[in-house]
Every structure is written in structure tokens, then in C-alpha cells.
Amino acid sequence: MKTYANDPRQIAAKFNSKCSKCKKVLLKGQQIFYWPSDKSVLCFDCGQDDYNAFLSSKQDEAFYNGEFY
Ligand SMILES: [Zn+2]
């Protein structure tokens, strides 16, 4: 699958921050989701649905482009 600079990704937080949605404190080293397009970070609970939706739309796109294996 292709990756793009603006793709959301699951990362370990590099510093303490707050979830953009629920304002929960995210500690350094915690698994979070990062959206480069709007520089938002989401906690695992808030981010996983959006991230899964992103992944499935990405797979659909790859499928239509004949890149699905
Ligand atoms: Zn949250």
C-alpha cells in the first residue's frame, strides 16, 4: 500500500499532550493516533474508529487501483 505524508498514523507519543476530542491527557510513550493534515492527536479510544475507517477507505482505493493483494 502507498503511504502519503498526510496519512494518519498510530505512534507512540513523543511528548505529553491532550486528545483533540476528549481532552484526555496523553502521556509520552503512550500509543496515540496522529493526523498530520490538521496536526491533531487522538487518544486510542477516540482515534481507532476514525483510523479504521481511514484504513478501509485506503484499502478500497488500492483495490480499485488494482493494488490489492
Ligand atoms: Zn480521546
Side-chain angles (χ1 to χ4, degrees):
M1 263 194 296
K2 287 179 199 161
T3 54
Y4 300 96
N6 278 335
D7 282 355
R9 63 202 68 175
Q10 186 186 338
I11 59 166
K14 294 188 175 66
F15 45 82
N16 295 348
S17 55
K18 274 185 184 173
C19 174
S20 299
K21 203 177 273 186
C22 70
K23 311 300 180 196
K24 192 160 77 178
V25 173
L26 305 169
L27 298 174
K28 184 182 175 185
Q30 196 172 341
Q31 288 295 309
I32 59 167
F33 293 102
Y34 174 61
W35 262 255
S37 53
D38 56 5
K39 294 191 165 58
S40 64
V41 291
L42 294 176
C43 70
F44 210 85
D45 289 340
C46 293
Q48 63 181 346
D49 286 349
D50 287 352
Y51 188 67
N52 286 336
F54 163 77
L55 284 184
S56 58
S57 71
K58 195 178 170 75
Q59 280 172 359
D60 286 348
E61 186 184 318
F63 179 79
Y64 290 125
N65 291 335
E67 298 167 2
F68 192 77
Y69 298 106

Coordinates of all heavy atoms in Angstrom, one line a residue:
M1 N 0.8 -1.2 0.0 CA 0.0 0.0 0.0 C 0.9 1.3 0.0 O 1.9 1.3 0.7 CB -0.9 0.0 1.2 CG -2.3 -0.5 1.0 SD -3.4 -0.1 2.3 CE -2.7 -1.0 3.6
K2 N 0.4 2.2 -0.7 CA 1.1 3.5 -0.7 C 0.9 4.2 0.6 O -0.1 4.1 1.2 CB 0.6 4.4 -1.9 CG 1.0 4.0 -3.2 CD 0.4 5.0 -4.2 CE 0.4 4.4 -5.6 NZ -0.6 5.0 -6.5
T3 N 1.9 5.0 1.0 CA 1.7 5.9 2.1 C 1.9 7.3 1.7 O 2.7 7.6 0.8 CB 2.7 5.6 3.3 OG1 4.0 5.6 2.8 CG2 2.4 4.2 3.9
Y4 N 1.2 8.2 2.3 CA 1.3 9.6 2.0 C 1.7 10.4 3.3 O 1.4 9.9 4.4 CB -0.1 10.1 1.5 CG -0.5 9.4 0.2 CD1 -1.4 8.4 0.3 CD2 -0.1 9.8 -1.0 CE1 -1.8 7.7 -0.9 CE2 -0.5 9.2 -2.2 CZ -1.4 8.1 -2.1 OH -1.8 7.5 -3.2
A5 N 2.3 11.5 3.1 CA 2.7 12.3 4.2 C 1.6 12.7 5.1 O 1.8 12.8 6.3 CB 3.5 13.6 3.7
N6 N 0.4 12.8 4.6 CA -0.7 13.3 5.4 C -1.6 12.1 5.9 O -2.6 12.4 6.5 CB -1.6 14.2 4.6 CG -1.1 15.6 4.6 OD1 -0.3 16.0 5.5 ND2 -1.4 16.4 3.6
D7 N -1.1 10.9 5.7 CA -1.9 9.8 6.3 C -1.8 9.8 7.8 O -0.8 10.0 8.4 CB -1.2 8.5 5.8 CG -1.6 8.1 4.4 OD1 -2.4 8.9 3.8 OD2 -1.1 7.1 3.9
P8 N -2.9 9.5 8.4 CA -2.9 9.4 9.9 C -2.1 8.2 10.3 O -2.0 7.2 9.5 CB -4.4 9.2 10.3 CG -5.0 8.7 9.0 CD -4.3 9.3 7.9
R9 N -1.5 8.2 11.4 CA -0.7 7.1 11.8 C -0.8 6.8 13.3 O -1.1 7.7 14.1 CB 0.8 7.3 11.4 CG 1.4 8.5 12.1 CD 2.6 8.9 11.3 NE 2.2 9.5 10.1 CZ 3.0 10.1 9.2 NH1 4.3 10.2 9.5 NH2 2.6 10.7 8.1
Q10 N -0.5 5.6 13.7 CA -0.5 5.2 15.1 C 0.9 5.3 15.5 O 1.8 4.7 15.0 CB -1.0 3.8 15.3 CG -1.2 3.4 16.7 CD -1.6 2.0 16.9 OE1 -2.1 1.4 16.0 NE2 -1.3 1.4 18.0
I11 N 1.2 6.1 16.6 CA 2.5 6.3 17.0 C 2.6 6.3 18.5 O 1.5 6.4 19.2 CB 3.1 7.7 16.5 CG1 2.2 8.8 17.0 CG2 3.2 7.7 15.0 CD1 2.9 10.2 16.9
A12 N 3.8 6.2 19.1 CA 4.0 6.4 20.5 C 4.2 7.9 20.7 O 5.0 8.5 20.0 CB 5.2 5.6 21.0
A13 N 3.5 8.5 21.6 CA 3.6 10.0 21.8 C 5.0 10.4 22.2 O 5.6 9.7 23.0 CB 2.6 10.4 22.9
K14 N 5.5 11.4 21.5 CA 6.8 11.9 21.8 C 6.9 12.8 22.9 O 8.0 13.1 23.4 CB 7.4 12.5 20.5 CG 7.6 11.5 19.4 CD 8.3 12.1 18.2 CE 8.6 11.1 17.1 NZ 7.4 10.7 16.5
F15 N 5.8 13.4 23.3 CA 5.7 14.3 24.4 C 4.3 14.2 25.0 O 3.4 13.7 24.3 CB 6.1 15.7 24.0 CG 5.5 16.1 22.7 CD1 4.2 16.6 22.7 CD2 6.2 16.0 21.5 CE1 3.7 17.1 21.5 CE2 5.7 16.4 20.4 CZ 4.4 16.9 20.3
N16 N 4.1 14.8 26.2 CA 2.8 14.8 26.8 C 1.9 15.8 26.0 O 2.4 16.9 25.6 CB 2.9 15.3 28.2 CG 3.6 14.3 29.1 OD1 3.9 13.2 28.7 ND2 4.0 14.7 30.3
S17 N 0.7 15.3 25.8 CA -0.2 16.2 25.0 C -1.7 15.9 25.5 O -1.9 15.2 26.5 CB -0.1 16.0 23.5 OG -0.2 14.6 23.2
K18 N -2.6 16.4 24.7 CA -4.0 16.1 25.0 C -4.8 15.7 23.8 O -4.5 16.1 22.7 CB -4.7 17.4 25.6 CG -4.5 17.6 27.0 CD -5.3 18.8 27.5 CE -5.0 19.0 29.0 NZ -5.6 20.3 29.5
C19 N -5.7 14.7 24.0 CA -6.6 14.3 22.9 C -7.4 15.5 22.4 O -8.0 16.2 23.2 CB -7.5 13.2 23.4 SG -8.7 12.7 22.2
S20 N -7.4 15.6 21.1 CA -8.2 16.7 20.5 C -9.7 16.6 20.7 O -10.4 17.6 20.6 CB -7.9 16.8 19.0 OG -6.5 17.0 18.7
K21 N -10.1 15.4 20.9 CA -11.6 15.2 21.0 C -12.0 15.2 22.5 O -12.9 16.0 22.9 CB -11.9 13.8 20.4 CG -13.4 13.8 19.9 CD -13.6 12.5 19.2 CE -13.3 12.6 17.7 NZ -13.7 11.4 17.0
C22 N -11.5 14.3 23.3 CA -12.0 14.2 24.7 C -11.1 14.9 25.7 O -11.5 14.9 26.9 CB -12.1 12.7 25.1 SG -10.6 11.8 25.3
K23 N -10.0 15.5 25.3 CA -9.1 16.3 26.1 C -8.4 15.5 27.2 O -7.9 16.0 28.2 CB -9.9 17.5 26.8 CG -10.7 18.3 25.9 CD -9.8 18.9 24.8 CE -10.7 19.8 23.9 NZ -10.0 20.1 22.6
K24 N -8.5 14.2 27.0 CA -7.7 13.3 28.0 C -6.2 13.5 27.8 O -5.8 13.7 26.7 CB -8.1 11.8 27.7 CG -7.6 10.9 28.7 CD -8.4 9.6 28.7 CE -8.0 8.7 27.5 NZ -8.7 7.4 27.5
V25 N -5.5 13.5 28.9 CA -4.1 13.7 28.9 C -3.4 12.5 28.3 O -3.7 11.3 28.6 CB -3.5 14.0 30.3 CG1 -2.0 14.0 30.3 CG2 -4.1 15.3 30.8
L26 N -2.5 12.7 27.3 CA -1.8 11.7 26.6 C -0.3 11.8 27.1 O 0.3 12.8 26.8 CB -1.9 11.8 25.1 CG -3.3 11.9 24.6 CD1 -3.3 12.3 23.1 CD2 -4.0 10.5 24.7
L27 N 0.1 10.7 27.7 CA 1.5 10.8 28.2 C 2.5 10.3 27.2 O 2.2 9.5 26.3 CB 1.6 9.9 29.5 CG 0.7 10.3 30.7 CD1 0.8 9.2 31.8 CD2 1.1 11.7 31.2
K28 N 3.7 10.8 27.3 CA 4.8 10.4 26.5 C 4.9 8.9 26.5 O 4.9 8.3 27.5 CB 6.1 11.1 27.0 CG 7.3 10.9 26.1 CD 8.5 11.5 26.7 CE 9.7 11.2 25.9 NZ 10.9 11.7 26.5
G29 N 5.1 8.3 25.3 CA 5.2 6.9 25.2 C 3.9 6.1 25.0 O 4.0 5.0 24.6
Q30 N 2.8 6.8 25.2 CA 1.5 6.2 25.1 C 1.2 6.0 23.6 O 1.6 6.9 22.8 CB 0.5 7.0 25.7 CG -0.9 6.4 26.0 CD -1.8 7.3 26.9 OE1 -1.3 8.2 27.5 NE2 -3.0 7.0 26.8
Q31 N 0.4 5.0 23.2 CA 0.0 4.8 21.8 C -1.1 5.8 21.5 O -2.1 5.8 22.2 CB -0.4 3.4 21.5 CG 0.7 2.4 21.5 CD 1.7 2.6 20.4 OE1 1.3 2.7 19.3 NE2 3.0 2.7 20.7
I32 N -0.9 6.6 20.5 CA -1.9 7.6 20.1 C -2.1 7.5 18.6 O -1.3 6.9 17.9 CB -1.5 9.0 20.5 CG1 -0.1 9.4 19.9 CG2 -1.4 9.1 22.0 CD1 0.2 10.8 20.0
F33 N -3.0 8.3 18.1 CA -3.2 8.4 16.6 C -2.9 9.9 16.3 O -3.3 10.8 17.0 CB -4.6 8.1 16.2 CG -4.9 6.6 16.3 CD1 -5.7 6.2 17.4 CD2 -4.4 5.7 15.4 CE1 -5.9 4.8 17.6 CE2 -4.7 4.3 15.6 CZ -5.4 3.9 16.6
Y34 N -2.1 10.1 15.2 CA -1.7 11.4 14.8 C -2.2 11.7 13.4 O -2.0 10.8 12.5 CB -0.2 11.5 14.9 CG 0.4 12.8 14.4 CD1 0.0 14.0 15.0 CD2 1.3 12.8 13.3 CE1 0.5 15.2 14.5 CE2 1.8 14.0 12.8 CZ 1.4 15.2 13.4 OH 1.9 16.3 12.9
W35 N -2.8 12.8 13.2 CA -3.3 13.2 11.9 C -2.5 14.4 11.5 O -2.7 15.5 11.9 CB -4.8 13.6 12.0 CG -5.8 12.6 11.6 CD1 -6.5 12.5 10.5 CD2 -6.1 11.4 12.4 NE1 -7.2 11.4 10.4 CE2 -7.0 10.7 11.6 CE3 -5.8 10.9 13.6 CZ2 -7.6 9.5 12.0 CZ3 -6.3 9.7 14.0 CH2 -7.2 9.0 13.2
P36 N -1.5 14.2 10.6 CA -0.7 15.2 10.1 C -1.4 16.4 9.4 O -1.0 17.5 9.4 CB 0.3 14.6 9.1 CG 0.2 13.1 9.5 CD -1.2 12.9 10.0
S37 N -2.5 16.0 8.7 CA -3.2 17.0 7.9 C -3.7 18.2 8.8 O -3.7 19.3 8.3 CB -4.4 16.4 7.2 OG -5.2 15.7 8.1
D38 N -4.2 17.9 10.0 CA -4.6 19.0 10.8 C -3.8 19.0 12.2 O -4.2 19.7 13.1 CB -6.1 19.0 11.1 CG -6.6 17.7 11.7 OD1 -5.8 16.9 12.0 OD2 -7.8 17.6 11.8
K39 N -2.7 18.2 12.2 CA -1.9 18.2 13.4 C -2.6 17.9 14.7 O -2.3 18.3 15.7 CB -1.1 19.5 13.5 CG -0.1 19.8 12.4 CD 0.8 21.0 12.8 CE 2.0 21.1 11.9 NZ 1.6 21.2 10.5
S40 N -3.7 17.1 14.5 CA -4.4 16.7 15.7 C -3.9 15.3 16.3 O -3.4 14.5 15.5 CB -5.9 16.6 15.5 OG -6.2 15.6 14.5
V41 N -4.0 15.2 17.6 CA -3.7 13.9 18.2 C -4.9 13.4 18.9 O -5.7 14.2 19.4 CB -2.5 14.0 19.2 CG1 -1.2 14.2 18.4 CG2 -2.8 15.0 20.2
L42 N -5.2 12.1 18.8 CA -6.3 11.5 19.4 C -5.9 10.3 20.3 O -5.0 9.6 19.9 CB -7.3 11.0 18.4 CG -8.0 12.0 17.5 CD1 -8.8 11.3 16.4 CD2 -8.8 13.0 18.3
C43 N -6.6 10.2 21.4 CA -6.3 9.0 22.2 C -6.7 7.7 21.5 O -7.4 7.8 20.5 CB -7.0 9.2 23.6 SG -8.8 9.0 23.6
F44 N -6.3 6.6 22.0 CA -6.6 5.4 21.4 C -8.1 5.2 21.2 O -8.6 4.8 20.1 CB -6.0 4.2 22.1 CG -5.6 3.0 21.3 CD1 -4.4 3.0 20.6 CD2 -6.5 2.0 21.1 CE1 -4.1 2.0 19.8 CE2 -6.2 0.9 20.2 CZ -5.0 0.9 19.6
D45 N -8.9 5.5 22.2 CA -10.3 5.3 22.2 C -11.0 6.2 21.1 O -11.9 5.7 20.4 CB -11.0 5.6 23.6 CG -10.6 4.5 24.6 OD1 -10.2 3.4 24.2 OD2 -10.7 4.8 25.8
C46 N -10.6 7.4 21.1 CA -11.2 8.3 20.1 C -10.7 8.1 18.7 O -11.4 8.2 17.7 CB -10.9 9.8 20.5 SG -11.6 10.4 22.0
G47 N -9.4 7.7 18.6 CA -8.8 7.6 17.3 C -9.1 6.3 16.5 O -9.0 6.3 15.3
Q48 N -9.3 5.2 17.2 CA -9.3 3.9 16.5 C -10.4 3.8 15.5 O -10.2 3.2 14.4 CB -9.2 2.8 17.4 CG -10.4 2.6 18.4 CD -10.2 1.4 19.3 OE1 -9.3 0.6 19.1 NE2 -11.0 1.3 20.3
D49 N -11.6 4.3 15.8 CA -12.7 4.2 14.8 C -12.3 5.0 13.5 O -12.5 4.5 12.4 CB -14.0 4.7 15.4 CG -14.6 3.8 16.4 OD1 -14.1 2.6 16.4 OD2 -15.5 4.2 17.1
D50 N -11.9 6.2 13.7 CA -11.5 7.1 12.6 C -10.4 6.4 11.8 O -10.4 6.4 10.6 CB -11.0 8.5 13.0 CG -12.2 9.3 13.5 OD1 -13.4 8.9 13.3 OD2 -12.0 10.4 14.0
Y51 N -9.4 5.9 12.5 CA -8.3 5.3 11.9 C -8.7 4.0 11.1 O -8.2 3.8 9.9 CB -7.2 4.9 12.9 CG -5.9 4.5 12.3 CD1 -5.1 5.4 11.6 CD2 -5.5 3.2 12.5 CE1 -3.9 5.0 11.1 CE2 -4.3 2.8 12.0 CZ -3.5 3.7 11.3 OH -2.3 3.2 10.7
N52 N -9.5 3.2 11.7 CA -10.0 2.0 11.0 C -10.8 2.4 9.7 O -10.7 1.8 8.7 CB -10.9 1.1 11.9 CG -10.0 0.4 12.9 OD1 -8.8 0.2 12.7 ND2 -10.6 0.0 14.0
A53 N -11.6 3.5 9.8 CA -12.3 4.0 8.7 C -11.4 4.4 7.6 O -11.6 4.2 6.4 CB -13.3 5.1 9.1
F54 N -10.3 5.1 8.0 CA -9.3 5.5 7.1 C -8.7 4.3 6.4 O -8.5 4.3 5.2 CB -8.2 6.4 7.8 CG -7.0 6.5 7.0 CD1 -6.9 7.3 5.9 CD2 -5.9 5.7 7.3 CE1 -5.7 7.4 5.2 CE2 -4.7 5.7 6.5 CZ -4.6 6.6 5.5
L55 N -8.3 3.3 7.2 CA -7.6 2.1 6.6 C -8.5 1.4 5.6 O -8.1 1.0 4.5 CB -7.3 1.2 7.7 CG -6.0 1.5 8.5 CD1 -5.8 0.4 9.5 CD2 -4.8 1.8 7.7
S56 N -9.8 1.3 5.9 CA -10.7 0.6 5.0 C -10.9 1.4 3.7 O -11.0 0.8 2.6 CB -12.0 0.2 5.6 OG -12.7 1.3 6.1
S57 N -11.0 2.7 3.8 CA -11.1 3.5 2.6 C -9.9 3.5 1.8 O -9.9 3.5 0.6 CB -11.5 5.0 2.9 OG -10.4 5.7 3.5
K58 N -8.7 3.4 2.4 CA -7.5 3.3 1.7 C -7.4 1.9 1.0 O -6.9 1.9 -0.1 CB -6.3 3.4 2.8 CG -5.0 3.7 2.2 CD -4.0 3.8 3.3 CE -2.6 3.9 2.9 NZ -2.2 5.1 2.3
Q59 N -7.9 0.9 1.7 CA -7.8 -0.4 1.0 C -8.8 -0.5 -0.2 O -8.5 -1.1 -1.2 CB -8.2 -1.5 2.0 CG -7.0 -1.9 2.9 CD -7.4 -2.8 4.0 OE1 -8.5 -3.2 4.2 NE2 -6.4 -3.2 4.8
D60 N -10.0 0.2 -0.1 CA -10.9 0.3 -1.2 C -10.2 1.0 -2.4 O -10.3 0.5 -3.5 CB -12.1 1.1 -0.8 CG -13.0 0.3 0.1 OD1 -12.8 -0.9 0.2 OD2 -14.0 0.9 0.6
E61 N -9.5 2.1 -2.1 CA -8.8 2.8 -3.1 C -7.8 2.0 -3.8 O -7.6 1.9 -5.0 CB -8.2 4.0 -2.4 CG -7.5 5.0 -3.4 CD -6.8 6.1 -2.6 OE1 -7.4 6.6 -1.7 OE2 -5.7 6.5 -3.0
A62 N -7.0 1.2 -3.0 CA -6.0 0.3 -3.5 C -6.6 -0.8 -4.4 O -6.1 -1.1 -5.4 CB -5.1 -0.3 -2.4
F63 N -7.7 -1.2 -3.9 CA -8.5 -2.3 -4.7 C -8.9 -1.8 -6.0 O -8.6 -2.4 -7.0 CB -9.7 -2.7 -3.9 CG -10.5 -3.8 -4.5 CD1 -10.1 -5.1 -4.5 CD2 -11.7 -3.4 -5.2 CE1 -10.9 -6.1 -5.2 CE2 -12.4 -4.4 -5.9 CZ -12.0 -5.7 -5.8
Y64 N -9.4 -0.6 -6.1 CA -9.9 0.0 -7.3 C -8.7 0.3 -8.2 O -8.9 0.3 -9.5 CB -10.8 1.2 -7.1 CG -12.1 0.9 -6.5 CD1 -12.5 1.5 -5.3 CD2 -12.9 0.0 -7.1 CE1 -13.7 1.2 -4.8 CE2 -14.2 -0.4 -6.5 CZ -14.6 0.2 -5.4 OH -15.8 -0.1 -4.8
N65 N -7.6 0.6 -7.7 CA -6.4 0.9 -8.5 C -5.7 -0.4 -8.9 O -4.6 -0.4 -9.4 CB -5.4 1.8 -7.7 CG -6.0 3.2 -7.6 OD1 -6.8 3.6 -8.4 ND2 -5.6 3.9 -6.5
G66 N -6.2 -1.6 -8.5 CA -5.6 -2.8 -8.8 C -4.3 -3.1 -8.0 O -3.5 -3.9 -8.4
E67 N -4.3 -2.5 -6.8 CA -3.1 -2.8 -6.0 C -3.4 -3.6 -4.8 O -2.6 -3.7 -3.8 CB -2.6 -1.4 -5.4 CG -2.1 -0.5 -6.6 CD -1.9 1.0 -6.1 OE1 -2.1 1.2 -4.9 OE2 -1.6 1.8 -6.9
F68 N -4.5 -4.2 -4.8 CA -4.9 -5.0 -3.6 C -4.4 -6.4 -3.7 O -4.7 -7.1 -4.7 CB -6.5 -5.0 -3.5 CG -7.0 -5.5 -2.2 CD1 -6.9 -4.7 -1.0 CD2 -7.5 -6.8 -2.1 CE1 -7.4 -5.2 0.2 CE2 -7.9 -7.3 -0.9 CZ -7.9 -6.5 0.3
Y69 N -3.7 -6.9 -2.7 CA -3.2 -8.3 -2.8 C -3.8 -9.1 -1.6 O -3.8 -8.6 -0.5 CB -1.6 -8.3 -2.6 CG -1.0 -7.5 -3.8 CD1 -0.5 -6.2 -3.6 CD2 -1.0 -8.1 -5.1 CE1 0.1 -5.5 -4.6 CE2 -0.4 -7.4 -6.1 CZ 0.1 -6.1 -5.9 OH 0.7 -5.4 -6.9
Ligands
ZN1 ZN -9.9 11.0 23.3

